[in-house]
């Protein structure tokens, strides 16, 4: 038995269950689980990331923020390392949206290496989705604003993984 593979598959199954009733905001209402799966794929395929805890955290990155999952549940099931990364990339939904967005910018540079990788993959996946299947009600100005803000977050993540940073830059360039 490969414990890293088991951790990743368990995280994928857990995330799929937790997000089972959620859909993305695109016109096709894509199943939400496609998003965390995209992060894991970006990290492994494009970023060369082989750390099972980072891949598992990518799969779980929105469970605390967007479902009834608790940080304690993540820690008990997946360990402290995964739980710490998930906690670092989880927005506090009790805060106003603009404050949450500002915190992502200010906290990016202080994040752990694993959290930086997950955050980079998240921004790449979001920009790619925005380019091909944006939320139905987003006009050009709102898309441009998101791309600018994502660039501010990624500025604090630079120096983490050159391949992922290049992938982000390419995704952002599609909006230029």
């Amino acid at each position: 038995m490969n414990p890293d593979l088991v951790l990743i598959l368990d995280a994928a199954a857990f995330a799929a269950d937790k997000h089972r009733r959620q859909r993305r905001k695109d016109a096709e209402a894509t199943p939400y689980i496609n998003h965390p799966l995209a992060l894991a794929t970006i990290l492994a395929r494009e970023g060369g990331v082989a750390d099972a805890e980072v891949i598992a955290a990518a799969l779980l990155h929105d469970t605390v923020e967007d479902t009834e999952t608790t940080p304690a549940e993540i820690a008990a099931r997946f360990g402290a390392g995964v739980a710490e990364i998930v906690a670092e990339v989880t927005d506090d939904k009790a805060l106003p949206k603009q404050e949450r967005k500002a915190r992502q910018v200010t906290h990016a540079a202080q994040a752990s290496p694993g959290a930086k990788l997950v955050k980079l993959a998240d921004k790449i996946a979001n920009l790619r989705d925005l380019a091909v299947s944006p939320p139905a009600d987003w006009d050009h100005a709102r898309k441009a604003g998101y791309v600018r803000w994502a660039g501010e977050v990624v500025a604090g993540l630079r120096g983490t993984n050159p391949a992922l940073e290049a992938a982000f830059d390419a995704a952002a360039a599609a909006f230029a």
Side-chain angles (χ1 to χ4, degrees):
M1 173 175 55
N2 179 335
D4 287 348
L5 185 57
V6 171
L7 175 67
I8 291 167
L9 291 172
D10 191 31
F14 183 89
D17 180 58
K18 292 293 183 170
H19 292 297
R20 71 186 174 278
R21 292 184 181 91
Q22 293 177 309
R23 300 289 200 189
R24 297 285 280 175
K25 296 176 184 174
D26 59 347
E28 295 83 26
T30 308
Y32 194 87
I33 191 60
N34 292 5
H35 175 65
L37 289 169
L39 267 66
T41 302
I42 289 166
L43 287 168
R45 183 174 289 152
E46 298 176 57
V49 176
D51 184 322
E53 287 190 343
V54 172
I55 301 297
L59 290 163
L60 300 165
H61 81 282
D62 278 338
T63 56
V64 173
E65 187 174 321
D66 293 342
T67 76
E68 299 299 317
T69 307
T70 66
E73 188 177 3
I74 297 292
R77 182 137 179 200
F78 301 102
V82 172
E84 288 168 13
I85 295 169
V86 171
E88 283 187 78
V89 299
T90 298
D91 284 349
D92 181 351
K93 289 280 189 124
L95 298 173
K97 184 176 183 177
Q98 286 309 114
E99 187 171 342
R100 291 193 315 261
K101 290 179 79 167
R103 283 183 179 212
Q104 281 196 42
V105 172
T106 60
H107 292 304
Q110 289 82 39
S112 69
K116 286 181 177 184
L117 289 168
V118 172
K119 188 60 75 172
L120 264 169
D122 188 37
K123 296 303 177 233
I124 293 164
N126 285 343
L127 289 190
R128 288 176 177 170
D129 285 347
L130 194 59
V132 298
S133 56
D137 60 343
W138 281 34
D139 62 15
H140 177 74
R142 186 160 181 193
K143 289 181 214 173
Y146 183 88
V147 174
R148 277 191 302 277
W149 168 75
E152 292 173 18
V153 174
V154 169
L157 306 172
R158 298 258 176 212
T160 301
N161 183 301
L164 292 177
E165 293 160 32
F168 174 83
D169 293 341
F175 295 93

